[in-house]
Amino acid sequence: MTEQSEPDNNRWPLLEVEALSVAFPVSGGFGVKKRVVQAVNEVSLYINAGETLGLVGESGSGKSTLGRAMLQLETASAGRVRFRGQLITDGMKSDITRLRQQTAMIFQDPFSSLNPRQTLGESIAEVLRVHNKVAKAAIPARVSELLLLVGLSPEHASRRPQALSGGQCQRAGIARALAMEPRLIVADECVAALDVSIQAQIINLLMDLRERIGLAILFIAHDLAIVRRLCDRVAVMYLGRIIESGPTQKVFNTPRHPYTAALVAAIPEIDPDRPLPQHPLQGEPPGPVSLPAGCAFHPRCAHALPACRQGVAPETRHIADHAFACVLDSHSRDRIYPMTEERLHEAKAF
Ligand SMILES: Nc1ncnc2c1ncn2[C@@H]1O[C@H](COP(=O)(O)OP(=O)(O)OP(=O)(O)O)[C@@H](O)[C@H]1O
Ligand SMILES: [Mg+2]
Protein backbone atom coordinates (compact mmCIF):
# COMPACT_ATOMS: atom_id res chain seq x y z
CA MET A 1 0.00 0.00 0.00
CA THR A 2 3.04 2.28 -0.25
CA GLU A 3 1.53 4.15 -3.16
CA GLN A 4 -1.13 5.50 -0.80
CA SER A 5 1.28 6.62 1.90
CA GLU A 6 1.73 10.34 1.69
CA PRO A 7 2.34 11.38 5.28
CA ASP A 8 2.48 15.06 4.38
CA ASN A 9 -0.82 15.00 2.52
CA ASN A 10 -2.86 15.92 5.59
CA ARG A 11 -4.56 19.31 5.92
CA TRP A 12 -5.80 20.04 2.46
CA PRO A 13 -9.39 19.60 1.42
CA LEU A 14 -9.70 16.29 -0.35
CA LEU A 15 -13.43 16.67 -0.88
CA GLU A 16 -15.40 19.90 -0.52
CA VAL A 17 -19.06 20.60 -1.01
CA GLU A 18 -20.52 24.06 -1.29
CA ALA A 19 -24.22 24.88 -0.84
CA LEU A 20 -25.09 21.31 -1.83
CA SER A 21 -28.79 20.42 -1.93
CA VAL A 22 -30.59 17.18 -2.68
CA ALA A 23 -34.38 17.14 -3.06
CA PHE A 24 -36.61 14.10 -3.54
CA PRO A 25 -40.08 14.46 -5.05
CA VAL A 26 -42.86 13.07 -2.89
CA SER A 27 -46.12 12.01 -4.43
CA GLY A 28 -49.08 14.05 -3.25
CA GLY A 29 -52.67 12.97 -3.72
CA PHE A 30 -54.75 13.80 -6.79
CA GLY A 31 -54.77 17.55 -7.37
CA VAL A 32 -52.20 18.10 -4.62
CA LYS A 33 -49.28 20.32 -5.60
CA LYS A 34 -46.11 18.33 -6.15
CA ARG A 35 -43.87 18.59 -3.11
CA VAL A 36 -40.29 17.70 -2.31
CA VAL A 37 -38.32 16.41 0.64
CA GLN A 38 -35.32 18.70 1.03
CA ALA A 39 -33.07 15.89 2.30
CA VAL A 40 -29.89 17.99 2.04
CA ASN A 41 -30.27 21.74 2.26
CA GLU A 42 -27.41 24.05 1.19
CA VAL A 43 -24.70 22.10 2.96
CA SER A 44 -21.11 23.33 2.85
CA LEU A 45 -18.55 20.92 4.26
CA TYR A 46 -15.02 19.71 3.63
CA ILE A 47 -12.99 16.69 4.52
CA ASN A 48 -9.21 16.91 4.58
CA ALA A 49 -6.89 14.24 3.28
CA GLY A 50 -6.16 11.68 5.98
CA GLU A 51 -8.88 13.06 8.27
CA THR A 52 -11.82 11.33 9.91
CA LEU A 53 -14.97 13.46 9.86
CA GLY A 54 -17.96 12.30 11.89
CA LEU A 55 -21.45 13.04 10.58
CA VAL A 56 -24.14 12.75 13.25
CA GLY A 57 -27.81 13.59 13.68
CA GLU A 58 -31.14 11.89 14.25
CA SER A 59 -32.66 9.44 11.82
CA GLY A 60 -33.89 11.16 8.66
CA SER A 61 -31.64 14.21 9.08
CA GLY A 62 -30.03 13.51 5.68
CA LYS A 63 -26.69 11.93 6.61
CA SER A 64 -26.79 9.05 4.12
CA THR A 65 -28.12 11.26 1.34
CA LEU A 66 -25.33 13.78 1.95
CA GLY A 67 -22.70 10.98 2.03
CA ARG A 68 -23.97 9.61 -1.27
CA ALA A 69 -24.24 13.05 -2.87
CA MET A 70 -20.64 13.80 -1.86
CA LEU A 71 -19.57 10.74 -3.86
CA GLN A 72 -21.90 11.66 -6.75
CA LEU A 73 -24.02 8.59 -6.08
CA GLU A 74 -27.02 10.87 -5.61
CA THR A 75 -27.93 13.72 -7.97
CA ALA A 76 -27.64 17.12 -6.34
CA SER A 77 -30.36 19.66 -7.13
CA ALA A 78 -27.94 22.52 -6.47
CA GLY A 79 -24.43 23.22 -5.25
CA ARG A 80 -20.89 22.21 -6.06
CA VAL A 81 -18.63 19.25 -5.24
CA ARG A 82 -14.85 19.51 -5.56
CA PHE A 83 -12.57 16.49 -5.33
CA ARG A 84 -8.85 17.22 -5.00
CA GLY A 85 -9.53 20.76 -6.14
CA GLN A 86 -11.41 19.76 -9.32
CA LEU A 87 -15.01 20.78 -9.74
CA ILE A 88 -16.99 17.56 -10.14
CA THR A 89 -20.52 18.88 -10.50
CA ASP A 90 -20.93 19.87 -14.15
CA GLY A 91 -17.34 18.71 -14.50
CA MET A 92 -15.56 16.51 -16.97
CA LYS A 93 -16.52 12.86 -17.14
CA SER A 94 -12.88 12.00 -16.40
CA ASP A 95 -13.08 13.91 -13.09
CA ILE A 96 -16.19 11.95 -12.07
CA THR A 97 -14.40 8.72 -13.01
CA ARG A 98 -11.43 9.76 -10.88
CA LEU A 99 -13.75 10.49 -7.95
CA ARG A 100 -15.40 7.08 -8.37
CA GLN A 101 -12.01 5.35 -8.51
CA GLN A 102 -10.61 7.08 -5.46
CA THR A 103 -13.58 6.79 -3.14
CA ALA A 104 -15.55 3.88 -1.72
CA MET A 105 -18.49 3.26 0.57
CA ILE A 106 -18.98 0.73 3.34
CA PHE A 107 -22.41 0.03 4.75
CA GLN A 108 -24.22 -1.06 7.88
CA ASP A 109 -25.00 -4.57 6.65
CA PRO A 110 -21.66 -6.18 5.90
CA PHE A 111 -23.33 -9.07 4.05
CA SER A 112 -24.95 -6.72 1.54
CA SER A 113 -21.62 -5.56 0.09
CA LEU A 114 -20.49 -9.13 -0.67
CA ASN A 115 -21.88 -11.52 -3.25
CA PRO A 116 -22.91 -14.73 -1.46
CA ARG A 117 -21.97 -16.79 -4.53
CA GLN A 118 -18.39 -15.51 -4.57
CA THR A 119 -15.56 -16.40 -2.22
CA LEU A 120 -13.88 -13.41 -0.55
CA GLY A 121 -10.90 -13.94 -2.84
CA GLU A 122 -13.09 -13.79 -5.96
CA SER A 123 -14.93 -10.77 -4.65
CA ILE A 124 -11.74 -8.77 -3.99
CA ALA A 125 -10.06 -10.03 -7.18
CA GLU A 126 -13.03 -8.77 -9.18
CA VAL A 127 -12.41 -5.20 -8.00
CA LEU A 128 -8.68 -5.49 -8.75
CA ARG A 129 -9.43 -6.85 -12.25
CA VAL A 130 -12.23 -4.46 -13.22
CA HIS A 131 -10.24 -1.42 -12.11
CA ASN A 132 -6.92 -2.71 -13.46
CA LYS A 133 -5.24 -2.27 -10.12
CA VAL A 134 -2.49 -4.88 -10.51
CA ALA A 135 -1.23 -7.27 -13.21
CA LYS A 136 -3.28 -10.47 -13.49
CA ALA A 137 -0.48 -12.63 -12.09
CA ALA A 138 -0.16 -10.39 -9.02
CA ILE A 139 -3.85 -10.59 -8.07
CA PRO A 140 -3.61 -13.53 -5.57
CA ALA A 141 -0.74 -11.86 -3.70
CA ARG A 142 -2.63 -8.57 -3.56
CA VAL A 143 -5.76 -10.35 -2.27
CA SER A 144 -3.69 -11.88 0.55
CA GLU A 145 -2.13 -8.50 1.32
CA LEU A 146 -5.55 -6.82 1.56
CA LEU A 147 -6.95 -9.59 3.79
CA LEU A 148 -3.97 -9.24 6.12
CA LEU A 149 -4.38 -5.45 6.14
CA VAL A 150 -7.89 -5.77 7.58
CA GLY A 151 -6.91 -8.42 10.12
CA LEU A 152 -8.12 -11.50 8.22
CA SER A 153 -5.81 -14.25 7.04
CA PRO A 154 -5.04 -15.23 3.42
CA GLU A 155 -6.94 -18.49 4.08
CA HIS A 156 -10.15 -16.45 4.28
CA ALA A 157 -9.86 -15.93 0.50
CA SER A 158 -11.49 -19.33 -0.10
CA ARG A 159 -14.47 -18.66 2.23
CA ARG A 160 -17.89 -17.38 1.27
CA PRO A 161 -19.67 -14.65 3.29
CA GLN A 162 -22.07 -17.19 4.87
CA ALA A 163 -19.10 -18.89 6.54
CA LEU A 164 -18.00 -15.67 8.28
CA SER A 165 -19.12 -13.80 11.38
CA GLY A 166 -20.56 -10.27 11.08
CA GLY A 167 -17.25 -8.72 12.13
CA GLN A 168 -15.26 -10.81 9.63
CA CYS A 169 -17.74 -9.86 6.91
CA GLN A 170 -17.33 -6.17 7.71
CA ARG A 171 -13.53 -6.60 7.53
CA ALA A 172 -13.97 -8.31 4.15
CA GLY A 173 -16.19 -5.43 2.98
CA ILE A 174 -13.46 -2.99 4.04
CA ALA A 175 -10.81 -5.09 2.21
CA ARG A 176 -12.95 -4.95 -0.93
CA ALA A 177 -13.32 -1.18 -0.56
CA LEU A 178 -9.56 -0.83 -0.02
CA ALA A 179 -8.87 -2.81 -3.22
CA MET A 180 -9.86 0.42 -5.01
CA GLU A 181 -6.96 2.17 -3.23
CA PRO A 182 -9.37 4.92 -2.19
CA ARG A 183 -8.36 8.24 -0.70
CA LEU A 184 -11.74 8.52 0.98
CA ILE A 185 -14.15 5.99 2.43
CA VAL A 186 -17.70 6.91 3.37
CA ALA A 187 -18.61 4.56 6.22
CA ASP A 188 -22.39 4.68 6.68
CA GLU A 189 -23.30 3.21 10.09
CA CYS A 190 -20.67 0.57 9.37
CA VAL A 191 -20.49 -0.74 12.95
CA ALA A 192 -24.11 -0.22 14.01
CA ALA A 193 -25.09 -3.87 13.39
CA LEU A 194 -22.09 -5.37 15.22
CA ASP A 195 -21.60 -6.46 18.83
CA VAL A 196 -19.84 -3.92 21.03
CA SER A 197 -16.54 -5.83 21.20
CA ILE A 198 -16.52 -6.33 17.41
CA GLN A 199 -17.41 -2.65 16.95
CA ALA A 200 -14.27 -1.74 18.87
CA GLN A 201 -12.17 -3.99 16.63
CA ILE A 202 -13.52 -2.41 13.45
CA ILE A 203 -13.02 1.10 14.89
CA ASN A 204 -9.41 0.19 15.74
CA LEU A 205 -8.98 -1.11 12.20
CA LEU A 206 -10.25 2.18 10.72
CA MET A 207 -7.95 4.18 13.02
CA ASP A 208 -5.05 1.97 11.99
CA LEU A 209 -5.82 2.47 8.28
CA ARG A 210 -5.96 6.22 8.79
CA GLU A 211 -2.46 6.10 10.28
CA ARG A 212 -0.95 3.59 7.88
CA ILE A 213 -2.35 4.64 4.50
CA GLY A 214 -3.55 8.18 5.18
CA LEU A 215 -7.14 7.23 4.44
CA ALA A 216 -9.79 9.94 4.87
CA ILE A 217 -13.06 8.67 6.37
CA LEU A 218 -16.51 10.21 6.47
CA PHE A 219 -17.92 8.34 9.45
CA ILE A 220 -21.71 8.48 9.53
CA ALA A 221 -23.07 7.34 12.88
CA HIS A 222 -25.75 7.62 15.52
CA ASP A 223 -23.36 6.63 18.26
CA LEU A 224 -21.72 9.82 19.52
CA ALA A 225 -19.47 7.96 21.94
CA ILE A 226 -17.79 6.20 19.00
CA VAL A 227 -17.58 9.43 17.00
CA ARG A 228 -15.92 11.13 19.95
CA ARG A 229 -13.28 8.45 20.07
CA LEU A 230 -12.64 8.08 16.36
CA CYS A 231 -13.15 11.42 14.62
CA ASP A 232 -10.88 14.45 14.24
CA ARG A 233 -13.81 16.70 13.40
CA VAL A 234 -17.54 16.31 13.62
CA ALA A 235 -20.51 17.79 11.74
CA VAL A 236 -24.01 17.74 13.23
CA MET A 237 -26.99 17.54 10.86
CA TYR A 238 -30.56 18.57 11.56
CA LEU A 239 -33.28 18.37 8.91
CA GLY A 240 -30.90 18.55 5.98
CA ARG A 241 -28.61 21.27 7.32
CA ILE A 242 -25.27 21.20 9.12
CA ILE A 243 -26.07 23.12 12.30
CA GLU A 244 -22.66 22.77 13.95
CA SER A 245 -19.20 21.54 12.97
CA GLY A 246 -15.67 21.70 14.28
CA PRO A 247 -12.90 19.76 15.97
CA THR A 248 -14.47 16.89 17.90
CA GLN A 249 -13.29 17.96 21.34
CA LYS A 250 -14.52 21.53 20.88
CA VAL A 251 -17.93 20.45 19.63
CA PHE A 252 -18.37 17.85 22.39
CA ASN A 253 -16.94 19.93 25.23
CA THR A 254 -18.44 23.29 24.31
CA PRO A 255 -21.39 22.73 21.97
CA ARG A 256 -22.73 26.02 20.62
CA HIS A 257 -26.04 24.82 19.25
CA PRO A 258 -28.76 23.64 21.67
CA TYR A 259 -29.40 20.62 19.44
CA THR A 260 -25.78 19.47 19.71
CA ALA A 261 -25.84 20.14 23.46
CA ALA A 262 -28.88 17.89 23.79
CA LEU A 263 -27.30 15.12 21.68
CA VAL A 264 -24.09 15.28 23.70
CA ALA A 265 -26.06 15.23 26.95
CA ALA A 266 -27.72 12.01 25.85
CA ILE A 267 -24.41 10.14 25.53
CA PRO A 268 -24.44 7.65 28.38
CA GLU A 269 -21.75 8.21 30.99
CA ILE A 270 -19.71 10.49 28.80
CA ASP A 271 -18.41 12.43 31.77
CA PRO A 272 -19.70 11.94 35.31
CA ASP A 273 -18.60 15.45 36.36
CA ARG A 274 -20.43 17.20 33.57
CA PRO A 275 -23.49 19.21 34.59
CA LEU A 276 -26.41 18.03 32.50
CA PRO A 277 -28.35 20.59 30.47
CA GLN A 278 -31.65 21.63 31.96
CA HIS A 279 -33.51 20.99 28.73
CA PRO A 280 -32.85 17.57 27.21
CA LEU A 281 -34.00 16.93 23.66
CA GLN A 282 -37.71 16.23 23.47
CA GLY A 283 -40.14 15.25 20.75
CA GLU A 284 -39.50 14.38 17.15
CA PRO A 285 -38.15 16.60 14.39
CA PRO A 286 -40.84 18.16 12.18
CA GLY A 287 -41.55 16.46 8.85
CA PRO A 288 -38.92 17.35 6.25
CA VAL A 289 -41.57 18.19 3.64
CA SER A 290 -42.89 21.28 5.40
CA LEU A 291 -40.04 22.80 7.35
CA PRO A 292 -40.85 25.50 9.91
CA ALA A 293 -39.79 29.08 9.20
CA GLY A 294 -36.60 30.42 10.75
CA CYS A 295 -34.43 27.91 12.58
CA ALA A 296 -35.85 24.41 11.88
CA PHE A 297 -34.96 23.45 15.46
CA HIS A 298 -37.05 26.22 17.08
CA PRO A 299 -40.17 24.08 17.83
CA ARG A 300 -37.99 21.86 20.05
CA CYS A 301 -35.70 24.56 21.41
CA ALA A 302 -36.40 25.68 24.95
CA HIS A 303 -34.41 28.88 24.34
CA ALA A 304 -35.93 30.01 21.05
CA LEU A 305 -36.24 33.78 20.68
CA PRO A 306 -38.92 35.46 18.51
CA ALA A 307 -36.25 35.91 15.81
CA CYS A 308 -35.69 32.13 15.68
CA ARG A 309 -39.31 31.54 14.60
CA GLN A 310 -39.35 33.64 11.44
CA GLY A 311 -37.44 34.39 8.29
CA VAL A 312 -34.73 32.15 6.91
CA ALA A 313 -32.46 29.66 8.68
CA PRO A 314 -29.79 31.30 10.87
CA GLU A 315 -26.50 32.10 9.22
CA THR A 316 -23.48 30.02 10.12
CA ARG A 317 -21.21 31.82 12.59
CA HIS A 318 -17.57 30.95 13.19
CA ILE A 319 -15.30 31.01 16.20
CA ALA A 320 -11.98 29.92 14.72
CA ASP A 321 -12.60 26.45 13.26
CA HIS A 322 -15.86 25.95 15.19
CA ALA A 323 -18.97 26.72 13.08
CA PHE A 324 -22.56 26.89 14.31
CA ALA A 325 -25.92 28.10 13.01
CA CYS A 326 -27.59 29.57 16.09
CA VAL A 327 -28.40 33.16 16.98
CA LEU A 328 -28.21 32.72 20.75
CA ASP A 329 -25.44 34.73 22.31
CA SER A 330 -22.77 33.21 24.47
CA HIS A 331 -24.61 34.19 27.66
CA SER A 332 -27.69 32.21 26.62
CA ARG A 333 -25.54 29.30 25.52
CA ASP A 334 -23.87 29.11 28.90
CA ARG A 335 -27.31 28.71 30.42
CA ILE A 336 -28.16 25.88 28.02
CA TYR A 337 -25.01 24.04 28.74
CA PRO A 338 -23.46 25.07 32.05
CA MET A 339 -19.74 24.55 31.95
CA THR A 340 -17.24 23.46 34.51
CA GLU A 341 -14.31 25.77 35.25
CA GLU A 342 -12.08 23.60 33.09
CA ARG A 343 -14.44 23.78 30.12
CA LEU A 344 -14.94 27.52 30.45
CA HIS A 345 -11.18 27.88 30.30
CA GLU A 346 -11.07 25.62 27.22
CA ALA A 347 -13.89 27.52 25.56
CA LYS A 348 -12.20 30.88 26.13
CA ALA A 349 -8.91 29.56 24.81
CA PHE A 350 -10.12 29.62 21.18
N1 LIG B 1 -34.79 7.90 -2.43
C1 LIG B 1 -35.53 8.68 -1.64
N2 LIG B 1 -36.75 9.13 -2.03
C2 LIG B 1 -37.50 9.94 -1.26
N3 LIG B 1 -37.11 10.38 -0.05
C3 LIG B 1 -35.91 9.97 0.42
C4 LIG B 1 -35.05 9.09 -0.35
N4 LIG B 1 -33.92 8.85 0.36
C5 LIG B 1 -34.06 9.55 1.51
N5 LIG B 1 -35.24 10.21 1.55
C6 LIG B 1 -35.72 11.10 2.62
O1 LIG B 1 -34.70 12.06 2.84
C7 LIG B 1 -34.55 12.33 4.24
C8 LIG B 1 -33.14 12.02 4.66
O2 LIG B 1 -32.91 10.61 4.58
P1 LIG B 1 -31.50 9.93 4.92
O3 LIG B 1 -31.66 8.47 4.68
O4 LIG B 1 -30.44 10.64 4.17
O5 LIG B 1 -31.36 10.23 6.48
P2 LIG B 1 -30.32 9.62 7.53
O6 LIG B 1 -29.86 10.77 8.36
O7 LIG B 1 -29.29 8.83 6.81
O8 LIG B 1 -31.24 8.68 8.42
P3 LIG B 1 -30.83 7.33 9.20
O9 LIG B 1 -30.07 7.77 10.41
O10 LIG B 1 -32.16 6.73 9.56
O11 LIG B 1 -30.03 6.47 8.28
C9 LIG B 1 -35.61 11.48 4.94
O12 LIG B 1 -36.75 12.27 5.14
C10 LIG B 1 -35.89 10.38 3.94
O13 LIG B 1 -37.21 9.91 4.09
MG1 LIG C 1 -28.72 6.82 6.91
Side-chain angles (χ1 to χ4, degrees):
M1 302 295 279
T2 45
E3 68 274 19
Q4 289 184 343
S5 307
E6 288 177 25
D8 59 347
N9 71 354
N10 291 330
R11 305 298 146 237
W12 48 265
L14 180 67
L15 187 75
E16 281 176 281
V17 301
E18 209 183 305
L20 192 73
S21 296
V22 181
F24 295 113
V26 283
S27 48
F30 180 71
V32 176
K33 210 174 137 221
K34 210 172 162 193
R35 295 187 301 174
V36 293
V37 177
Q38 198 67 48
V40 175
N41 203 342
E42 297 189 358
V43 164
S44 295
L45 196 65
Y46 65 91
I47 176 160
N48 287 329
E51 175 182 62
T52 304
L53 173 67
L55 184 58
V56 302
E58 286 164 295
S59 190
S61 55
K63 305 180 298 295
S64 298
T65 308
L66 174 59
R68 285 200 305 271
M70 285 171 93
L71 298 190
Q72 297 283 289
L73 300 171
E74 199 78 72
T75 309
S77 45
R80 285 166 291 282
V81 177
R82 274 193 188 79
F83 183 62
R84 304 182 75 185
Q86 296 287 331
L87 196 61
I88 301 294
T89 30
D90 307 324
M92 306 274 291
K93 209 165 168 230
S94 57
D95 291 331
I96 297 176
T97 307
R98 190 162 72 133
L99 173 86
R100 291 269 156 77
Q101 286 179 340
Q102 298 190 6
T103 57
M105 233 174 145
I106 48 176
F107 301 95
Q108 174 165 355
D109 177 10
F111 292 95
S112 69
S113 58
L114 300 165
N115 182 341
R117 284 187 290 275
Q118 282 181 325
T119 63
L120 295 193
E122 287 164 353
S123 180
I124 297 168
E126 183 182 48
V127 177
L128 295 172
R129 206 172 39 247
V130 169
H131 295 279
N132 260 328
K133 287 295 177 187
V134 289
K136 203 174 166 202
I139 287 180
R142 181 69 174 142
V143 168
S144 298
E145 195 184 9
L146 284 162
L147 289 171
L148 285 168
L149 188 67
V150 298
L152 294 171
S153 78
E155 287 78 60
H156 283 103
S158 59
R159 307 252 183 96
R160 283 177 212 283
Q162 307 87 296
L164 300 178
S165 67
Q168 287 172 329
C169 251
Q170 193 55 287
R171 285 175 193 274
I174 295 172
R176 195 168 190 270
L178 291 177
M180 294 288 290
E181 294 171 26
R183 303 235 159 207
L184 169 70
I185 280 189
V186 173
D188 193 353
E189 301 283 2
C190 73
V191 296
L194 303 173
D195 291 345
V196 173
S197 63
I198 311 295
Q199 276 187 358
Q201 290 175 17
I202 299 293
I203 298 300
N204 286 339
L205 169 63
L206 292 175
M207 286 163 106
D208 187 44
L209 291 170
R210 179 178 57 185
E211 294 305 315
R212 282 164 65 183
I213 61 174
L215 187 66
I217 304 169
L218 178 67
F219 189 79
I220 299 175
H222 275 102
D223 190 330
L224 271 75
I226 295 180
V227 168
R228 190 184 207 204
R229 190 168 149 233
L230 177 70
C231 299
D232 304 303
R233 282 192 306 123
V234 61
V236 184
M237 241 182 141
Y238 189 75
L239 287 174
R241 290 185 189 273
I242 302 291
I243 52 91
E244 181 155 6
S245 67
T248 306
Q249 293 317 319
K250 279 188 193 174
V251 172
F252 278 67
N253 289 349
T254 54
R256 291 182 174 268
H257 194 292
Y259 178 62
T260 314
L263 286 185
V264 171
I267 305 175
E269 292 163 34
I270 185 171
D271 176 357
D273 298 331
R274 186 197 48 183
L276 289 174
Q278 295 156 357
H279 302 283
L281 193 57
Q282 281 172 353
E284 296 286 319
V289 177
S290 49
L291 291 177
C295 172
F297 185 61
H298 87 249
R300 297 167 85 190
C301 183
H303 308 274
L305 306 170
C308 305
R309 301 191 177 94
Q310 48 195 274
V312 293
E315 267 180 39
T316 302
R317 300 159 70 187
H318 295 264
I319 298 181
D321 47 5
H322 192 163
F324 51 98
C326 177
V327 298
L328 295 178
D329 61 18
S330 51
H331 174 70
S332 315
R333 266 194 301 277
D334 289 349
R335 282 192 291 117
I336 299 167
Y337 195 79
M339 283 189 262
T340 57
E341 280 303 307
E342 191 190 343
R343 288 221 173 72
L344 270 175
H345 182 71
E346 236 175 78
K348 283 176 185 156
F350 63 87

